[in-house]
Amino acid sequence: MYAVHMARAKTAKAYSDPKRVQLLKIIEDKGLVTQGQLAKLTGLSWGRLQWHLYVLEREGLIKRVVKDGLVYYAPAHLTIELFSAQE
């Protein structure tokens, strides 16, 4: 039971920051997006953006995927579908 509560607490923490919620919404809306695109859309510094992406990825909400030498961020539940549709 303790593990379930800890998992919920971590996920709640991911949603506790308005910038992370904004990032998640952008990634959900666009499907695939680079860190540079996210920086332009949010105005976050590179380091701050990396931290928020790390938290979202750690909580399993987004996935980092490398394609053609570029790193993309995608919603965790759509990663396979997005790359299948693009090929």
Side-chain angles (χ1 to χ4, degrees):
M1 194 67 167
Y2 176 75
V4 172
H5 291 299
M6 290 304 295
R8 286 184 187 148
K10 283 184 176 181
T11 303
K13 185 175 181 179
Y15 288 113
S16 68
D17 188 286
K19 285 295 183 184
R20 281 197 284 271
V21 173
Q22 179 188 16
L23 285 168
L24 194 54
K25 180 160 178 32
I26 291 169
I27 294 168
E28 289 279 342
D29 290 346
K30 295 197 174 287
L32 289 175
V33 63
T34 65
Q35 187 170 343
Q37 292 169 326
L38 288 169
K40 286 180 185 177
L41 290 168
T42 62
L44 288 170
S45 69
W46 202 257
R48 202 65 170 143
L49 181 57
Q50 284 181 318
W51 171 251
H52 289 305
L53 291 171
Y54 164 76
V55 172
L56 291 171
E57 189 174 9
R58 179 187 69 195
E59 301 311 322
L61 299 171
I62 63 172
K63 293 281 185 186
R64 181 185 341 192
V65 183
V66 179
K67 181 173 169 91
D68 299 328
L70 289 174
V71 177
Y72 292 92
Y73 291 90
H77 58 91
L78 296 179
T79 306
I80 295 171
E81 296 162 13
L82 286 171
F83 278 104
S84 297
Q86 286 190 344
E87 293 180 12

